[in-house]
Amino acid sequence: MRLGIDIGGTKTAAVAIGADGELSDLVSLPTGFGAPEVVSTALQVVARMSELAGVTAASFSSIGIGIPGAVDSTTGRVEHAVNLGLEGLDLGPRLSDELGVAVRVENDVKAAALGAHHLLGVADGITAHSMAYLNLGTGLAAGIVLDGELLRGGHGVAGEIGHIPVDPAGVVCGCGQRGCLETLASGSAIARMWPTEHPLPARELFDAADAGDERAIEVRDRFFRGAASAVRLLALTTDVDDIVIGGGLASLGEPLLLGIRRILNEWAGGSPFLASTDLAGRVQVIPLGFPAAAVGAALVGEPSWLNS
């Protein structure tokens, strides 16, 4: 039984995958802030999952963690996870010492890419499927799985496409560059372009656009074009079979998918080259509620992924 833990800014979720590939029920706890609390939360989740499974923590064949920030997947060290109050934590070794079993750590978006890849593989019966996971959340990033192997890159930044500048006249991004893709297609981009007190700005934006608000339609189309640009970039640089959209904004569901496909089809209408790539047919939204990062974290725990 493999255990996967997704440590997020507000909650930590865990799922176990049995030898038959079946998923356990999801366990979720609030995430503490700061290194001691993050470690404590992870240990509490492991204890709860062990109790539910009726085994000790050391009985799990592997334990994997998905977490935001810059992660050294070899050493298990986490840097710059600002929303968790982490500026350097040897999370893997700390948990391994406490639990008596190896704990491997991966960036949460890369872990979610493995989870989405697992979902597609189960559906299609293909284990070497190539896909990109486009995470549309507060920011924008991607995880890439090529021929069944996770692409990390030489410096661990493979998939950080949110910080590719696409508009020289655009706003300054949090990374310091101007006009990055993330400033057009992310939760923070929508919050900037559509200021509101509503707790779900993207949902309010889509509802207002559906109601005929011209300003909302303009902002939503700008967002769609940014997201479609991310899909096009991933397809043309990696030529993956599928691009799966996840992250918080994926909860917009079918309206999000249809809007992105509409823009991709518009571009294909003016470019025989793009038409030949069938971009619209290769993009999909991850099913609502599927715990991609936790499932992927369980897979990260397997030794076979360590050198992918």
Side-chain angles (χ1 to χ4, degrees):
M1 185 175 288
R2 296 161 289 176
L3 177 60
I5 303 172
D6 171 27
I7 299 179
T10 58
K11 69 176 182 179
T12 293
V15 67
I17 302 180
D20 56 1
E22 289 294 313
L23 304 184
S24 71
D25 289 335
L26 194 69
V27 168
S28 180
L29 291 176
T31 304
F33 186 81
E37 292 302 317
V38 167
V39 172
S40 175
T41 301
L43 291 173
Q44 290 176 56
V45 168
V46 173
R48 180 60 178 149
M49 291 298 292
S50 299
E51 179 184 348
L52 291 175
V55 299
T56 64
S59 297
F60 288 110
S61 60
S62 64
I63 297 179
I65 305 277
I67 189 169
V71 176
D72 185 326
S73 58
T74 302
T75 65
R77 184 173 177 80
V78 183
E79 305 277 1
H80 313 308
V82 179
N83 292 336
L84 293 171
L86 302 182
E87 276 299 333
L89 172 63
D90 292 319
L91 181 61
R94 285 277 295 275
L95 292 176
S96 295
D97 289 344
E98 290 278 354
L99 298 170
V101 60
V103 177
R104 296 188 173 87
V105 185
E106 185 56 85
N107 169 267
D108 59 341
V109 174
K110 289 183 172 64
L114 288 181
H117 179 265
H118 174 79
L119 180 65
L120 287 181
V122 169
D124 298 340
I126 302 172
T127 58
H129 199 85
S130 292
M131 58 140 283
Y133 176 83
L134 176 59
N135 191 82
L136 297 180
T138 302
L140 183 155
I144 301 163
V145 182
L146 298 177
D147 296 325
E149 294 192 352
L150 182 65
L151 178 66
R152 293 190 175 93
H155 301 85
V157 296
E160 290 291 346
I161 65 169
H163 297 301
I164 295 178
V166 293
D167 181 7
V171 300
V172 175
C173 178
C175 75
Q177 300 182 101
R178 183 177 293 277
C180 290
L181 202 50
E182 184 170 291
T183 66
L184 299 174
S186 64
S188 59
I190 288 178
R192 188 192 74 253
M193 296 186 293
W194 183 256
T196 178
E197 297 299 319
H198 195 283
L200 300 172
R203 180 67 64 184
E204 185 192 53
L205 170 65
F206 275 51
D207 289 345
D210 287 340
D213 184 306
E214 292 186 3
R215 170 63 180 157
I217 292 171
E218 177 189 345
V219 172
R220 187 178 64 175
D221 275 3
R222 191 181 310 165
F223 165 74
F224 281 151
R225 291 182 183 279
S229 294
V231 170
R232 179 177 57 185
L233 190 155
L234 286 168
L236 296 184
T237 54
T238 64
D239 196 25
V240 289
D241 299 304
D242 295 285
I243 295 103
V244 179
I245 296 175
L249 294 180
S251 63
L252 293 166
E254 193 75 3
L256 172 67
L257 180 61
L258 293 178
I260 292 174
R261 283 178 172 170
R262 172 171 58 82
I263 300 300
L264 292 171
N265 283 325
E266 283 181 11
W267 293 342
S271 168
F273 166 67
L274 283 183
S276 72
T277 64
D278 186 29
L279 296 183
R282 291 156 72 179
V283 63
Q284 57 185 287
V285 173
I286 201 160
L288 185 63
F290 178 71
V295 171
L299 301 175
V300 164
E302 293 186 342
S304 60
W305 282 107
L306 194 58
N307 297 317
S308 297

